[in-house]
Amino acid sequence: MHSTAEENYIKAIYKLSGGGAKAVSTTGLSESLETKPASVSDMLRKLSAKDLVHYVKYHGVQLTEEGRRVALKIIRKHRLWEVFLVQKLHFTWDEVHEVAEQMEHVKSELLIQRLDEFLGHPRVDPHGDPIPTEAGELRQEEQRVLSSLAVEQKGVVCRVKDSQPAFLQYLNKMGIQIGSQLQVVDKIPYDNSLEISIDKTKSVILSSDVLDKIFVINP
Amino acid sequence: MHSTAEENYIKAIYKLSGGGAKAVSTTGLSESLETKPASVSDMLRKLSAKDLVHYVKYHGVQLTEEGRRVALKIIRKHRLWEVFLVQKLHFTWDEVHEVAEQMEHVKSELLIQRLDEFLGHPRVDPHGDPIPTEAGELRQEEQRVLSSLAVEQKGVVCRVKDSQPAFLQYLNKMGIQIGSQLQVVDKIPYDNSLEISIDKTKSVILSSDVLDKIFVINP
DNA sequence: ATAAAAGTTTAGGTTTGCCTAAATATAATT
DNA sequence: AATTATATTTAGGCAAACCTAAACTTTTAT
């Protein structure tokens, strides 16, 4: 098994490299992890010995296939815990990160399987980022603007375009958050507003201004 | 804040001393923590410097008031997570410990507050052990053997004495688990068996053997 | 093309938490 | 009371993960 420190390096490399694609610099990592470059060099040598990264001195690191697998596992755990914290314990978006950062290192396959089940196999975290599958795949969902849905069509909120407090508060009042299950009930042709049902419980009318700012994926 | 290792020592001292009462030996701790006695001596010096324990060389340790406070906080976290794992994620009694052992070290006041709320402020963990309050108090519920209840009396199952699979499966079949609400319906003097109603729905006859292994607290 | 600047690695050191082996204190036995 | 046995501590080391300072590469700018 890997140490917490190792896991944090792997995760940081994954993020900085944009999913394991490009190589990452020592300084970049040291800034991201808030450690000194010398410490990073140290750790990269160790990770390289474990074949979690390809490391060429003075020329940066990249994740190996195995490293990428490990990264996705950690990210899966992190995002599932974020969903738990927001949906079940009513944390706000800004409160979750620090705690999820700790929970992601708890070791138990069964725990994550059961948590995933308990949460209803969510596909995005509270920030709208996709949750890797158990198999370690990061399926990129096709995102659509809510305004583009036809009557009867469904979608799960995955992203909002406007992050101003006023807008977020409005969504909150409506009962809409990332992960909410929406369905178009009716279309009002006069002003292109839509009647939307939220989580199969209540329904509201949203103006086309608002509809243009909400993105959904297929349920 | 305290390290995971420190927290584990504090918890072990608490447990071995029976709640912080008596002093605990180096060897006792080393066995309980699966480390060598020399390592324990080492750590005790450190904990003593932090005033978490009273440590007199060659004569054992005891928790200070502060140490006891810390211990109860950890135990509270551990037991709340156990409740979560069993009640929400459907872990079995034997699967919870290892995982709760890791989760108890996650640092966040808010997390524990919210978890407690989410679980409905449970008073005992899945093994029937009491959960310390947020204030750090261990209210000791009076536990009674089920066999000691008179006709009409009620109780909530808080623990069972026998943890062999056969017995647990039997209870499961009967529909009895920790938290079940029981009431004595009738007494059969011939063999001291009792007719017990379970969660106000059905009722069964339990032999005195079984009755002696089930403990309840006042509802 | 070469010197200066920036980035990276190595060398040597620290702390935490563990280890073994040796020394010392306490307890048990004769 | 003296000796043996057991428990505990001290001394010296090791690995992980960090640090600073110095050495070395690569890049940039003259």
Side-chain angles (χ1 to χ4, degrees):
Chain A
M1 217 27 57
H2 310 110
S3 72
T4 296
E6 282 171 348
E7 290 190 349
N8 285 334
Y9 273 86
I10 297 283
K11 203 175 42 147
I13 295 169
Y14 182 91
K15 297 235 156 120
L16 285 182
S17 68
K22 8 180 221 298
V24 166
S25 74
T26 300
T27 327
L29 277 171
S30 93
E31 276 161 10
S32 162
L33 291 161
E34 297 185 79
T35 60
K36 300 289 157 175
S39 308
V40 175
S41 288
D42 234 19
M43 181 60 98
L44 292 184
R45 209 174 7 79
K46 288 175 200 165
L47 293 176
S48 185
K50 292 190 176 187
D51 278 319
L52 291 164
V53 299
H54 294 301
Y55 172 44
V56 183
K57 276 197 228 171
Y58 294 103
H59 294 87
V61 260
Q62 253 189 294
L63 292 179
T64 59
E65 223 11 83
E66 169 69 2
R68 213 183 95 93
R69 240 200 60 243
V70 172
L72 285 168
K73 229 173 200 171
I74 303 165
I75 289 166
R76 173 173 162 80
K77 293 200 270 181
H78 182 98
R79 293 184 179 165
L80 283 173
W81 281 120
E82 284 196 342
V83 172
F84 170 74
L85 293 172
V86 168
Q87 284 188 5
K88 304 293 181 180
L89 302 196
H90 309 113
F91 276 58
T92 59
W93 293 356
D94 41 297
E95 289 168 334
V96 290
H97 195 75
E98 194 191 357
V99 178
E101 202 84 351
Q102 296 179 64
M103 313 248 271
E104 77 191 3
H105 299 295
V106 173
K107 264 107 192 152
S108 166
E109 288 294 328
L110 185 61
L111 175 65
I112 295 308
Q113 246 172 252
R114 294 284 174 84
L115 179 64
D116 184 39
E117 213 174 302
F118 178 60
L119 298 172
H121 307 289
R123 299 192 354 249
V124 291
D125 77 5
H127 305 93
D129 296 314
I131 297 172
T133 64
E134 195 167 358
E137 271 146 35
L138 195 59
R139 46 168 160 34
Q140 206 41 270
E141 314 276 358
E142 203 208 335
Q143 300 190 0
R144 305 183 55 182
V145 201
L146 185 48
S147 56
S148 75
L149 293 196
V151 174
E152 292 278 289
Q153 281 196 297
K154 294 176 183 176
V156 173
V157 179
C158 67
R159 188 159 73 88
V160 295
K161 222 176 179 177
D162 184 338
S163 56
Q164 287 185 295
F167 184 64
L168 298 180
Q169 274 163 36
Y170 168 77
L171 291 183
N172 217 40
K173 197 154 191 174
M174 292 289 133
I176 293 174
Q177 53 186 176
I178 302 278
S180 294
Q181 292 176 24
L182 306 184
Q183 179 166 22
V184 179
V185 175
D186 200 6
K187 176 162 189 168
I188 296 103
Y190 166 66
D191 64 349
N192 287 320
S193 62
L194 295 177
E195 184 183 351
I196 302 282
S197 94
I198 301 168
D199 291 325
K200 290 172 192 157
T201 46
K202 59 174 179 170
S203 84
V204 297
I205 305 248
L206 300 180
S207 72
S208 74
D209 269 15
V210 172
L211 295 169
D212 281 339
K213 291 178 177 168
I214 299 176
F215 289 76
V216 296
I217 55 178
N218 294 330
Chain B
M1 216 27 57
H2 311 109
S3 71
T4 296
E6 283 171 348
E7 290 189 350
N8 285 334
Y9 273 87
I10 297 283
K11 203 175 42 145
I13 296 169
Y14 182 91
K15 296 234 158 120
L16 286 182
S17 68
K22 11 181 219 298
V24 166
S25 75
T26 300
T27 327
L29 275 170
S30 95
E31 277 161 10
S32 161
L33 291 161
E34 299 185 78
T35 59
K36 300 289 157 174
S39 308
V40 174
S41 288
D42 235 16
M43 182 59 99
L44 293 184
R45 208 174 5 80
K46 288 174 197 165
L47 292 176
S48 184
K50 292 190 176 186
D51 278 320
L52 291 164
V53 300
H54 294 301
Y55 171 42
V56 183
K57 276 196 230 175
Y58 294 103
H59 293 88
V61 260
Q62 253 188 295
L63 292 178
T64 59
E65 220 13 82
E66 170 68 2
R68 213 182 95 93
R69 240 200 61 243
V70 172
L72 285 168
K73 229 173 200 171
I74 304 164
I75 290 167
R76 173 173 163 79
K77 293 200 270 180
H78 182 98
R79 293 184 179 165
L80 283 173
W81 281 120
E82 284 197 341
V83 172
F84 170 73
L85 292 172
V86 168
Q87 284 188 3
K88 304 293 181 180
L89 302 196
H90 310 112
F91 275 57
T92 59
W93 293 355
D94 41 298
E95 290 168 333
V96 290
H97 195 75
E98 195 191 353
V99 178
E101 201 85 350
Q102 296 180 63
M103 312 246 270
E104 77 192 1
H105 299 295
V106 173
K107 264 107 190 152
S108 167
E109 289 294 329
L110 184 61
L111 175 65
I112 295 309
Q113 246 172 251
R114 293 286 175 84
L115 179 65
D116 184 39
E117 213 174 301
F118 178 61
L119 298 172
H121 307 289
R123 284 161 44 223
V124 290
D125 77 7
H127 305 93
D129 296 314
I131 297 172
T133 65
E134 195 167 358
E137 271 147 35
L138 195 60
R139 45 168 160 34
Q140 202 45 268
E141 313 275 359
E142 204 207 336
Q143 299 190 358
R144 307 184 54 182
V145 201
L146 185 49
S147 57
S148 75
L149 293 198
V151 174
E152 293 277 289
Q153 281 197 297
K154 294 176 184 175
V156 171
V157 178
C158 67
R159 104 184 302 161
V160 294
K161 223 179 180 176
D162 183 338
S163 55
Q164 287 185 296
F167 183 64
L168 299 180
Q169 274 163 36
Y170 169 77
L171 290 183
N172 219 38
K173 197 153 190 174
M174 291 289 135
I176 294 174
Q177 53 189 167
I178 301 276
S180 294
Q181 292 177 26
L182 307 183
Q183 180 167 22
V184 179
V185 175
D186 200 7
K187 176 163 190 167
I188 296 104
Y190 165 67
D191 63 351
N192 287 322
S193 62
L194 294 177
E195 184 183 349
I196 301 283
S197 94
I198 302 167
D199 291 326
K200 292 172 191 157
T201 47
K202 58 174 180 171
S203 86
V204 298
I205 306 247
L206 300 180
S207 72
S208 74
D209 270 13
V210 172
L211 295 168
D212 281 339
K213 290 175 177 169
I214 299 175
F215 288 77
V216 297
I217 55 179
N218 293 332

